[in-house]
Amino acid sequence: MTTALVDRVRSRLVAQRADATPGLVAAALRAEGLVLGDDAVLSLVRELRDDLVGAGPLEPLLRDAAVTDILVNGASDVWVDRGQGLERSGIRFPGETDVQRLAQRLAAQVGRRLDQASPFVDARLPSGARLHCVLPPIAVAGTTISLRVPRRLAFSIDDLIHCGTLDEQGATVLRAIVAARLGFLISGGTGTGKTTVLSTMLGLVPGDERIVIVEDSTELMPCHAHAVSLQSRLPNLEGAGTVTLRDLVRQALRMRPDRVVVGEVRGAEVVDLLTAMNTGHEGGCGTVHANSAEDVPARLEALGLMAGLDRLAVHALVAAGVDAVVHLDRPGGATRRLASVHVLERGAQGLVRCVPALVRAGDRLARGHGHDRLAQRLGAPP
């Protein structure tokens, strides 16, 4: 099956505004003077559907249940992460035009514009995958496509133990944090498993509690009977219709939540989340990007300052509302793991700092200076 033939069949279907059904593909082949067997027709149907309504050459990767990220750095440089670090895939695009066409079609699926006037896009596809694209010359080596693929099924605590993210001690601590309704944040770098661990912890929330989840792009899918998800919205082509995370946190507080969750705290919504965690909404939580748990107070301070709070006000809210920071890392791009659990302490100047309660030491978690404080909050030694 030559590329030229596939292109001609595709053009016929597009001209007829027809779907790539077996019958219509067979008719298009006959119009080209070819009669193929059933297997060949079905193979072409699959290829055309992937190209017309799917992710083209990337579709097999999206169907792989182990894939978490797909990264395209131009036509001949496609990488994939199956949970063990990035690896180069064998997938290639015919040329730069094909990569750009795929990026534009994926953006168009969600009503987003991608061209030289708007050379990048960040959106969520109907499949749930998070899409980010950048066109050249902004992307120097060619069109880049980044796809974050949501996990089809939520991990259980036992799954995280099995894959090495947690050991029995770490699992016990996370269970205790949820049971004690502590306010907590999960910190870590990109790809360290923050969303996965948070989703798993939300699955431990008692079934008679209502969880309201706020996200830019829906990724948290806890195994819980009463979890409600709200998703922000970018402006349309006319610049109207924006719904921010801050808007959604305020709406969530009116929805009778037992626990308010912000998938990723990275803007002014930090004020509303911290306020909620200080006004009777125990067990509130979220994730935050940080190189270490010790950096979390500074990160929250920066976000709060951008939202208009002064420094001491941010630290006062953090000290009163956040009980623990769970930090994840991925040393050398290997298995994601629980690196430490910290508690927050307020110093003489009113500024908060993270104090290690449990710290990774080889294959176990060793007690730190904040262990007794964590145990006190949990009501029993972790």
Side-chain angles (χ1 to χ4, degrees):
M1 197 77 64
T2 66
T3 301
L5 174 61
V6 173
D7 287 342
R8 291 199 301 272
V9 172
R10 181 194 301 112
S11 297
R12 287 182 179 274
L13 294 174
V14 171
Q16 299 169 12
R17 296 184 179 180
D19 195 6
T21 63
L24 292 175
V25 170
L29 287 169
R30 286 195 298 271
E32 292 290 330
L34 290 174
V35 178
L36 301 178
D38 291 345
D39 290 344
V41 170
L42 290 175
S43 176
L44 181 55
V45 168
R46 188 179 304 111
E47 183 176 349
L48 288 169
R49 287 190 66 82
D50 289 349
D51 186 66
L52 292 171
V53 298
L58 304 181
E59 195 65 31
L61 296 178
L62 287 174
R63 288 194 285 260
D64 185 341
V67 169
T68 61
D69 293 89
I70 302 169
L71 307 174
V72 180
N73 308 322
S76 59
D77 195 16
V78 180
W79 295 75
V80 63
D81 189 345
R82 292 184 172 89
Q84 301 298 321
L86 290 173
E87 56 187 87
R88 193 186 295 272
S89 78
I91 291 176
R92 300 288 185 272
F93 287 80
E96 164 61 23
T97 302
D98 300 271
V99 184
Q100 190 168 139
R101 184 178 64 187
L102 173 61
Q104 291 172 327
R105 183 167 53 74
L106 291 175
Q109 285 184 9
V110 288
R112 300 298 305 281
R113 174 180 173 182
L114 184 62
D115 53 29
Q116 289 304 314
S118 182
F120 44 81
V121 67
D122 185 11
R124 176 179 175 266
L125 298 177
S127 65
R130 184 171 178 175
L131 169 73
H132 186 270
C133 304
V134 185
L135 296 181
I138 307 301
V140 178
T143 301
T144 68
I145 301 174
S146 304
L147 289 166
R148 169 65 60 86
V149 185
R151 181 171 167 81
R152 280 73 169 178
L153 298 173
F155 277 100
S156 67
I157 284 284
D158 289 340
D159 291 332
L160 295 184
I161 294 173
H162 178 74
C163 69
T165 299
L166 300 177
D167 57 14
E168 291 290 350
Q169 183 186 11
T172 299
V173 173
L174 298 192
R175 289 191 184 99
I177 287 173
V178 174
R181 296 182 61 84
L182 299 190
F184 67 92
L185 293 172
I186 298 180
S187 62
T190 300
T192 52
K194 298 185 297 298
T195 300
T196 298
V197 172
L198 179 56
S199 187
T200 300
M201 293 180 71
L202 294 177
L204 301 173
V205 172
D208 59 353
E209 294 187 22
R210 176 176 168 90
I211 304 171
V212 182
I213 302 169
V214 173
E215 295 180 273
D216 265 331
S217 178
T218 302
E219 294 182 83
L220 289 169
M221 292 179 284
C223 183
H224 191 275
H226 201 167
V228 179
S229 293
L230 304 178
Q231 179 178 279
S232 66
R233 185 173 67 190
L234 294 169
N236 58 23
L237 294 178
E238 288 75 35
T242 304
V243 179
T244 67
L245 282 181
R246 193 165 192 181
D247 295 330
L248 294 181
V249 173
R250 291 172 179 171
Q251 298 308 311
L253 297 178
R254 297 177 173 88
M255 295 172 65
R256 199 255 177 235
D258 290 296
R259 305 197 189 217
V260 178
V261 181
V262 176
E264 182 182 338
V265 180
R266 59 178 180 181
E269 68 278 356
V270 68
V271 175
D272 301 280
L273 176 62
L274 291 174
T275 301
M277 295 169 78
N278 280 278
T279 53
H281 292 87
E282 296 179 336
C285 53
T287 74
V288 60
H289 277 271
N291 293 328
S292 68
E294 289 82 358
D295 293 333
V296 169
R299 173 78 168 141
L300 296 177
E301 178 185 318
L303 295 176
L305 290 172
M306 287 190 291
L309 287 184
D310 64 49
R311 188 182 191 192
L312 289 179
V314 175
H315 282 265
L317 287 173
V318 172
V322 182
D323 297 300
V325 174
V326 176
H327 188 72
L328 306 174
D329 66 9
R330 194 176 185 179
T335 302
R336 305 171 176 95
R337 66 176 190 176
L338 173 63
S340 60
V341 179
H342 286 61
V343 293
L344 286 87
E345 238 178 40
R346 199 169 181 184
Q349 303 299 318
L351 302 182
V352 170
R353 65 189 183 98
C354 275
V355 179
L358 294 166
V359 181
R360 174 70 56 187
D363 59 354
R364 66 185 184 89
L365 291 170
R367 294 185 177 188
H369 298 301
H371 178 268
D372 291 344
R373 185 180 180 90
L374 176 63
Q376 181 182 24
R377 292 188 176 184
L378 296 178

